[in-house]
Amino acid sequence: MRGSLVVVALCAAVSGPLKAQLPGTIVEFPIAYPNQPSVETGACHAAPTGSTHEITFDAKGGQDLWITGQNYDQVVKVAESGAMTFYPMPTGSGPHGIEFDGDRRLWVTLEFAGQIVRLDANGQTDRTIDVRLDCPTCPDGKLNTHPHGLGLGPDGMTLWFTGKSTGTVGKVTQDGQVTTYPLKTVGSVPIYVRAGNDGSMWVTELVGNAIARIKPDGTVDEFKIPTNNSRPIAIVPEPGSSAMWFTEEAGNRVSRIPGDCTSTNCVITQFQLPMSQSNVILAALAFDADNNLWVQQYVDQNNPTPANPSPAGSDYIVRIDKSILTANPGDLSQVPITYYKVPTTQTVMHRIVQGPDGNIWFTELGSNKVGRLSLEPYADVNTVPGKR
């Protein structure tokens, strides 16, 4: 499916020439899962409406994208052409997090099974690690952590995962030893974990409304987000800095947390992203090779408004110019922002990454599609239309 691209550049109080994005092309590839979902409801949304989740690629030379279809128990390899190969996981296992380690081996969290597995070149499991917790009062003596997010430590080999249902973060060393780090907020629902340039691991707490940090010595810190119930989703390192950036789903903000935060001194800087309509929320974010920040903004299917009872409206891939890195705190007035309209509506977007081809790739959880945004070169312009 090929759709024409609608581009809207948003900027306020513009003065002087700015870089504006020329039209590109969004192509969406429907994912024709070869089976019916094994569960009617899952970790995020009901199936078969949609269950296309994480996306990654091998940064050491891989040309394919890899995604997880959680309720379908599938790992999918997607070529740059959109051709797909399906690798079934055990029925009812719920694959979600997916990453390549420093040795170019692919790892996947099986959230419903409480396991992390390694796949060989043929997509077959060649190693399984049980990441459930000991629980003497549980029927089988184990408590499923529901490993959701997956990340690699600074060494590129140590696995880290979020225990979504237990409020924990886990570390798995190369020899398979699992260490569990309880978070301070009960019911925090940690969902995303990434290594920072400071050597720490950083975690978003969806319900805890906080960012957690696990230092190399194992110290766990927690930093509350100023906006109540902001629902932080993804977190990524700032290029060339120890700071981290994260999305606030309900707050419609992209925010920066310094790497040197302490319990008594931590200033989180929030940037309110212009909203295409009143009931949009944010998904994930990613920096590209030029340090521009990319975000997904989509219509909240659980929050209709009187003006949009369906809910109706378009979803967007948003490019925030790299000048946000040097902008005044909370001020986007001089930062060019470009909105790329996605052809499909009701996408329930999930994750985004700059792929090995330099294009922006993203998953549409609700519509079971993977999208590719191909960009044209930049052009100098004197003004950019403003909107607030």
Side-chain angles (χ1 to χ4, degrees), residues 182-313:
L183 298 177
K184 296 180 179 180
T185 297
V186 176
S188 57
V189 188
I191 62 168
Y192 206 83
V193 58
R194 279 294 179 270
N197 294 323
D198 63 342
S200 299
M201 301 301 296
W202 294 79
V203 179
T204 55
E205 297 183 17
L206 183 69
V207 178
N209 199 47
I211 301 299
R213 179 184 63 196
I214 303 175
K215 292 183 177 180
D217 64 3
T219 301
V220 179
D221 298 305
E222 192 176 74
F223 308 102
K224 290 297 182 180
I225 298 169
T227 301
N228 292 329
N229 193 33
S230 67
R231 294 178 62 85
I233 298 294
I235 189 166
V236 295
E238 178 178 293
S241 165
S242 63
M244 303 291 289
W245 287 75
F246 60 93
T247 46
E248 300 179 26
E249 179 189 74
N252 257 281
R253 293 176 172 88
V254 292
S255 299
R256 180 184 187 271
I257 181 170
D260 59 357
C261 270
T262 67
S263 59
T264 58
N265 184 18
C266 185
V267 178
I268 294 176
T269 303
Q270 299 174 297
F271 294 87
Q272 179 73 56
L273 196 64
M275 299 166 67
S276 59
Q277 62 186 60
S278 61
N279 60 335
V280 292
I281 55 179
L282 300 184
L285 77 171
F287 282 101
D288 66 20
D290 293 324
N291 297 344
N292 301 302
L293 185 59
W294 294 84
V295 186
Q296 300 160 296
Q297 186 181 83
Y298 66 98
V299 177
D300 183 0
Q301 299 303 296
N302 296 315
N303 182 28
T305 67
N308 299 287
S310 300

Side-chain angles (χ1 to χ4, degrees), residues 346-387:
Q346 299 180 321
T347 62
V348 189
M349 286 192 278
H350 201 63
R351 298 292 182 258
I352 187 168
V353 67
Q354 184 176 36
D357 57 357
N359 294 316
I360 303 300
W361 289 78
F362 55 95
T363 54
E364 301 177 18
L365 187 152
S367 57
N368 278 339
K369 295 179 180 179
V370 60
R372 183 187 68 205
L373 170 55
S374 303
L375 301 176
E376 302 291 341
Y378 298 128
D380 287 315
V381 296
N382 291 323
T383 59
V384 175
K387 178 180 178 182

Side-chain angles (χ1 to χ4, degrees), residues 7-325:
V7 180
V8 181
L10 304 182
C11 193
V14 175
S15 62
L18 295 172
K19 295 281 189 180
Q21 188 68 49
L22 288 178
T25 303
I26 286 182
V27 177
E28 296 171 290
F29 303 101
I31 302 172
Y33 290 105
N35 59 300
Q36 292 297 310
S38 63
V39 293
E40 289 301 318
T41 58
C44 292
H45 297 271
T49 302
S51 194
T52 298
H53 290 253
E54 302 288 317
I55 183 168
T56 194
F57 67 94
D58 178 6
K60 291 191 173 183
Q63 297 302 309
D64 300 312
L65 283 298
W66 293 78
I67 63 178
T68 48
Q70 185 169 54
N71 289 356
Y72 295 89
D73 302 311
Q74 294 283 344
V75 170
V76 188
K77 180 173 69 173
V78 183
E80 292 177 4
S81 65
M84 300 184 190
T85 306
F86 294 86
Y87 300 97
M89 298 293 104
T91 300
S93 60
H96 190 269
I98 184 167
E99 291 293 342
F100 283 90
D101 68 17
D103 286 340
R104 309 184 66 178
R105 297 174 299 192
L106 185 61
W107 295 85
V108 180
T109 64
L110 302 183
E111 183 171 349
F112 304 159
Q115 299 173 337
I116 298 177
V117 297
R118 188 179 66 192
L119 305 185
D120 63 19
N122 297 315
Q124 300 297 310
T125 299
D126 66 7
R127 188 176 181 187
T128 300
I129 299 173
D130 187 346
V131 295
R132 296 175 299 169
L133 300 177
D134 291 331
C135 177
T137 59
C138 295
D140 60 354
K142 292 288 186 179
L143 177 65
N144 189 359
T145 58
H146 285 86
H148 188 75
L150 183 65
L152 274 298
D155 62 357
M157 299 302 296
T158 302
L159 302 174
W160 289 79
F161 66 93
T162 55
K164 186 176 179 180
S165 66
T166 53
T168 57
V169 177
K171 178 179 72 173
V172 184
T173 56
Q174 294 183 59
D175 61 2
Q177 182 177 354
V178 180
T179 303
T180 300
Y181 299 91
L183 298 177
K184 296 180 179 180
T185 297
V186 176
S188 57
V189 188
I191 62 168
Y192 206 83
V193 58
R194 279 294 179 270
N197 294 323
D198 63 342
S200 299
M201 301 301 296
W202 294 79
V203 179
T204 55
E205 297 183 17
L206 183 69
V207 178
N209 199 47
I211 301 299
R213 179 184 63 196
I214 303 175
K215 292 183 177 180
D217 64 3
T219 301
V220 179
D221 298 305
E222 192 176 74
F223 308 102
K224 290 297 182 180
I225 298 169
T227 301
N228 292 329
N229 193 33
S230 67
R231 294 178 62 85
I233 298 294
I235 189 166
V236 295
E238 178 178 293
S241 165
S242 63
M244 303 291 289
W245 287 75
F246 60 93
T247 46
E248 300 179 26
E249 179 189 74
N252 257 281
R253 293 176 172 88
V254 292
S255 299
R256 180 184 187 271
I257 181 170
D260 59 357
C261 270
T262 67
S263 59
T264 58
N265 184 18
C266 185
V267 178
I268 294 176
T269 303
Q270 299 174 297
F271 294 87
Q272 179 73 56
L273 196 64
M275 299 166 67
S276 59
Q277 62 186 60
S278 61
N279 60 335
V280 292
I281 55 179
L282 300 184
L285 77 171
F287 282 101
D288 66 20
D290 293 324
N291 297 344
N292 301 302
L293 185 59
W294 294 84
V295 186
Q296 300 160 296
Q297 186 181 83
Y298 66 98
V299 177
D300 183 0
Q301 299 303 296
N302 296 315
N303 182 28
T305 67
N308 299 287
S310 300
S314 298
D315 299 335
Y316 293 90
I317 299 297
V318 185
R319 175 188 179 271
I320 306 172
D321 187 80
K322 62 185 177 183
S323 55
I324 191 175
L325 296 176

